[in-house]
Amino acid sequence: MRAYEAAQEGAWTPRARFRLWAALVLACGAWHTVCACSLRARGAADTRCAREPAVCLRWHSVTALSPRWLSDSMGVSGPLVSWVLLAPMLAATGRAALLLDVVLWYLALIMAVRYVHLALPAGWHAWDPSGHIFVYGAQLVPIWLTAHLAPARGPSPRCTLRVAGVHVACGYALVLAYASGATAAFFHTLSESAAALVLVALPLHAHGR
């Protein structure tokens, strides 16, 4: 049993989780490339979109699959809420410094992500790295770096709280993954989503995970 648990833990390292998330985002970004015409039209009649394949969705389906309240609640406010929820769990595992590293990485890059398009040459101002995917990644990174750790043994209340926190965090990570895919599919080009992925990979590389 312990050997099986160790194999499972090794298979789901933070980098493995990142690769799975990145594959989802890139696949959705590729779909965006195929359906870019109707997505740019945002429901307006455009005869140029008539030749798009059947896999493309009408705009009312897009808004139903990616409601504004979801992106606002998980992206516009930034990752502060999830960081506050994760802080006690990280402190219990002795990895509070990990969250500080993520905070510093986020603060160092978020302004560049938001405003880099203003510094680009004429004709490139429309290119905008996905700030939402970057923010979702800033919430996923500490979850990935913590959830793979084996739960503490024993019946203590602290252990029970930590195990519960891991399960809640993993459930929240699934919602973040869905929001990431929806953002890449409906609101950003493939290159804009890929740029955000590269930035999210940096703290994982720094921690060697």
Side-chain angles (χ1 to χ4, degrees), residues 9 146-154 159 162-163 166-167:
E9 180 180 339
T146 304
H148 78 290
L149 299 174
R153 306 296 180 182
C159 171
R162 178 184 165 193
V163 172
V166 169
H167 287 305

Side-chain angles (χ1 to χ4, degrees), residues 32-95:
H32 180 100
T33 302
V34 172
C35 303
C37 182
S38 58
L39 291 171
R40 284 194 302 266
R42 293 178 178 260
D46 192 333
T47 56
R48 294 174 298 177
C49 304
R51 295 184 179 180
E52 284 191 335
V55 295
C56 298
L57 302 176
R58 296 183 180 274
W59 186 248
H60 66 81
S61 299
V62 170
T63 55
L65 291 171
S66 183
R68 171 65 66 179
W69 62 264
L70 180 63
S71 61
D72 286 348
S73 61
M74 305 183 73
V76 173
S77 61
L80 181 60
V81 174
S82 65
W83 287 348
V84 170
L85 294 175
L86 282 172
M89 185 172 64
L90 289 169
T93 61
R95 301 181 67 87

